[in-house]
Amino acid sequence: MTEWNRIRAIARTELRRTSRAIQQDAGQMIAFGFLALFLVPFSLSGLVGAYVFGEQIASGGLETPLHWGRLVLVYGWLFVAVFSGYRAYSSALRPDRLDGLLTTVSHRDLLGGIVLSEVLLWGLATVLYGVAASLAFAAGLRSIVAAPLALLAICLAVFTAFATGFLVALVVRNAGVRSPRLARLRTVAFLLAAIAYVALIYTQNVTAALDPVFWLLEPTPIGWYGDLALLGGASEASPARGVGVLVASVLFLLASARVLSTLAEWLWYADGAHAEVDAASTSASTTDGSRLERYLPRSVAGVVLADWKRARRAPITLSFVLYPLIVLINPIFSVIQTGTIGSSFPLWIVLTVGWVAGVLFTLNVLGNEGAVLPSTVLTAGPERALVVGHVLAGTLLVAPIAVILTAGLTLLSPRPLTSVLTLTVSSFVLVVAAASIATGIGAVFPRYEEINVSRSTKAIVPSTIAFGIYSVVIALVALPTLVGHSSVVGHVIESAFGTSQLSLALGGTIGTVLLAAPVGLLSMRYAIRSVERFHLE
């Protein structure tokens, strides 16, 4: 089999795997359906825009056509580069059965097959749309020459952006493989990037964030794609820059082929920083274990440490934590925009920290054990240590943060000083109760098997049903505190019945305590019984 045939076979296999994975996942099929519904009108409006753009240039109604042409192509280049980089980092560079593939084909053939599959999957559709946009632009401009020049500019921009995305993804992956510090901080960095992305979308500051990037790239060859596209219609387009970006793009693609191959070789054949990370985490875990065993039984301390190790080594298992944090986006932006902490913000913190405490480790008590579940349940009397250990693993992490955040933010808010005590107590109680309540719900709706978190990453996470029911229960348990400390409800009740807001706040805290204690204890009791009665199939 020749090299080209091997590359084609790998690409064909990757496309089949992608298609099979989408067909087997109803959620992905629904998501692609919604994406198609969104893209159809957007694509049509883009074609209309290309025609109107060409027509405006032909009629002389547009003063700076080169600026707008560069703007479209630079933003398009950025989008393709970011998208291809994300695809490369998240899935494309981690094909299934990587070790087996590298024993049968070279890394160059494997990389070629992966790149070809991505080009066929995404690049081909982009080029076809580029053909339609070029024809629409040429029709509006009434120039036959404009169509091939615009298409050439679009194709070069797409493929150089595609190569740039892969280059950046390979550099980032190689850095993570070789640096223990970067490997540990990688998840945090991507979480911060996701938060920044959501913040830009929510605050509608995307243009303000992209403008400096455009100003930076416009004088570079990336901005010259606008000159190449408009050579057939705009007098201000420079033929020298158009020819220059053509030559530069060809040289870049030729050089990137060599660099991509080298970076892929370094990545796939590397024996990276994992051993060092494991050694460091083992040393730290030994120290933490000796501290915990001073105050906890050894079996309970072992479960706590196992949960913390699992979270450190596989943060993807804590993906459900993101959903409670999403609730804080709107309140946080309100604080940023107003520059003050409102009276409702501490209430959001109380609810969110309690919600997070149960999601961390206790919403899938049995399933969290994974492959070691048989040895866990076969030990003598594991049920109490297992359940209590999971509860403490989340409580010990979240409770100090909850108390400090609630007390500090309440002091900074316009609330009375008495609310500092009542809200802090409510926050602590809700954290402890949430971790306890989640155990029973997770025992009713466990998940033992791994699911696809991404195309090449599987993890055991809580079931969606368990998370939904747990969220409702936590909201109901926190409701007395939220109502009792609500300024609106407090003013209404005070004016109607003469009850002071302090009494209402105390009543809300007591109500949450009276609800949380029995529900948490009963839930833990059920979880312990579930572990006792668990039988291996």
Side-chain angles (χ1 to χ4, degrees):
M1 182 179 288
T2 63
E3 182 178 358
W4 172 241
N5 287 335
R6 289 194 295 270
I7 291 174
R8 286 173 52 195
I10 293 169
R12 187 164 52 246
T13 302
E14 290 300 308
L15 289 173
R16 285 176 179 171
R17 286 174 176 170
T18 301
S19 175
R20 192 181 301 121
I22 294 173
Q23 292 174 5
Q24 293 175 351
D25 191 337
Q28 285 195 40
M29 293 188 69
I30 294 172
F32 274 105
F34 279 111
L35 182 62
L37 290 175
F38 170 76
L39 285 179
V40 168
F42 181 80
S43 301
L44 292 176
S45 63
L47 295 179
V48 173
Y51 177 83
V52 172
F53 181 55
E55 191 177 42
Q56 288 294 312
I57 295 176
S59 64
L62 201 61
E63 295 182 358
T64 56
L66 183 59
H67 170 76
W68 290 104
R70 287 179 173 179
L71 185 73
V72 171
L73 285 168
V74 167
Y75 281 170
W77 189 93
L78 282 173
F79 175 80
V80 175
V82 171
F83 180 77
S84 65
Y86 171 77
R87 283 279 307 172
Y89 183 89
S90 62
S91 57
L93 293 175
R94 294 189 293 174
D96 294 336
R97 307 295 186 267
L98 176 61
D99 293 340
L101 286 169
L102 291 175
T103 60
T104 55
V105 296
S106 68
H107 67 278
R108 288 182 294 276
D109 293 344
L110 179 56
L111 179 64
I114 290 172
V115 170
L116 180 59
S117 67
E118 291 293 304
V119 169
L120 293 175
L121 185 61
W122 304 104
L124 185 61
T126 305
V127 171
L128 290 176
Y129 182 75
V131 172
S134 301
L135 292 175
F137 172 68
L141 190 61
R142 296 177 179 85
S143 170
I144 300 176
V145 180
L149 289 175
L151 179 60
L152 180 61
I154 291 172
C155 291
L156 290 176
V158 167
F159 288 119
T160 54
F162 181 85
T164 301
F166 262 73
L167 285 169
V168 173
L170 279 167
V171 169
V172 172
R173 280 215 161 272
N174 272 289
V177 165
R178 285 165 173 76
S179 170
R181 188 181 300 276
L182 290 177
R184 286 193 292 267
L185 296 177
R186 182 172 52 195
T187 302
V188 176
F190 277 95
L191 178 60
L192 292 176
I195 293 173
Y197 171 77
V198 173
L200 288 175
I201 298 296
Y202 183 83
T203 58
Q204 299 179 353
N205 286 327
V206 178
T207 305
L210 290 179
D211 279 345
V213 181
F214 172 70
W215 295 333
L216 182 67
L217 294 179
E218 186 183 17
T220 69
I222 298 172
W224 297 354
Y225 288 121
D227 293 78
L228 178 60
L230 297 179
L231 282 179
S235 58
E236 56 182 323
S238 169
R241 286 195 292 265
V243 174
V245 74
L246 174 62
V247 174
S249 298
V250 172
L251 293 177
F252 175 78
L253 290 174
L254 292 174
S256 64
R258 176 64 179 173
V259 176
L260 284 171
S261 175
T262 303
L263 290 174
E265 180 183 12
W266 291 353
L267 174 66
W268 289 334
Y269 292 120
D271 184 13
H274 305 292
E276 298 175 16
V277 173
D278 289 342
S281 62
T282 302
S283 175
S285 300
T286 304
T287 305
D288 293 340
S290 61
R291 292 174 183 171
L292 285 174
E293 287 174 6
R294 298 177 189 173
Y295 310 102
L296 299 173
R298 176 171 293 183
S299 56
V300 174
V303 174
V304 173
L305 287 175
D307 281 342
W308 291 351
K309 281 183 188 176
R310 191 180 300 119
R312 195 159 48 219
R313 293 173 178 173
I316 195 67
T317 59
L318 307 181
S319 57
F320 271 80
V321 172
L322 295 176
Y323 295 104
L325 296 179
I326 291 174
V327 174
L328 283 178
I329 292 176
N330 189 26
I332 288 175
F333 286 145
S334 297
V335 171
I336 294 172
Q337 290 172 353
T338 60
T340 58
I341 296 175
S343 59
S344 64
F345 190 66
L347 299 181
W348 288 108
I349 295 296
V350 170
L351 174 63
T352 305
V353 292
W355 199 358
V356 167
V359 177
L360 280 173
F361 305 113
T362 52
L363 200 51
N364 195 18
V365 173
L366 287 167
N368 281 344
E369 298 302 298
V372 300
L373 179 60
S375 60
T376 300
V377 298
L378 290 175
T379 56
E383 56 277 350
R384 195 172 298 275
L386 185 65
V387 174
V388 173
H390 284 316
V391 171
L392 288 177
T395 302
L396 291 175
L397 285 179
V398 180
I401 299 173
V403 169
I404 294 171
L405 273 180
T406 305
L409 292 172
T410 308
L411 280 171
L412 296 174
S413 72
R415 288 188 167 276
L417 290 177
T418 52
S419 295
V420 177
L421 178 61
T422 55
L423 278 177
T424 303
V425 171
S426 296
S427 180
F428 178 78
V429 169
L430 196 60
V431 166
V432 177
S436 304
I437 291 169
T439 57
I441 297 173
V444 175
F445 303 100
R447 172 175 278 158
Y448 302 108
E449 70 282 356
E450 293 182 330
I451 64 170
N452 286 318
V453 181
S454 67
R455 181 184 164 217
S456 57
T457 303
K458 291 186 175 182
I460 299 176
V461 297
S463 70
T464 307
I465 297 175
F467 177 75
I469 295 175
Y470 161 76
S471 301
V472 172
V473 173
I474 287 302
L476 293 174
V477 171
L479 189 61
T481 291
L482 301 179
V483 171
H485 290 82
S486 171
S487 301
V488 176
V489 174
H491 286 305
V492 171
I493 293 179
E494 186 176 16
S495 60
F497 303 102
T499 305
S500 67
Q501 293 192 30
L502 174 59
S503 300
L504 193 61
L506 285 172
T509 298
I510 293 171
T512 292
V513 173
L514 293 178
L515 278 175
V519 174
L521 290 174
L522 289 173
S523 186
M524 284 186 66
R525 178 73 176 169
Y526 181 83
I528 291 172
R529 289 283 183 86
S530 298
V531 178
E532 288 176 349
R533 297 171 182 172
F534 182 80
H535 298 287
L536 297 172
E537 297 291 340

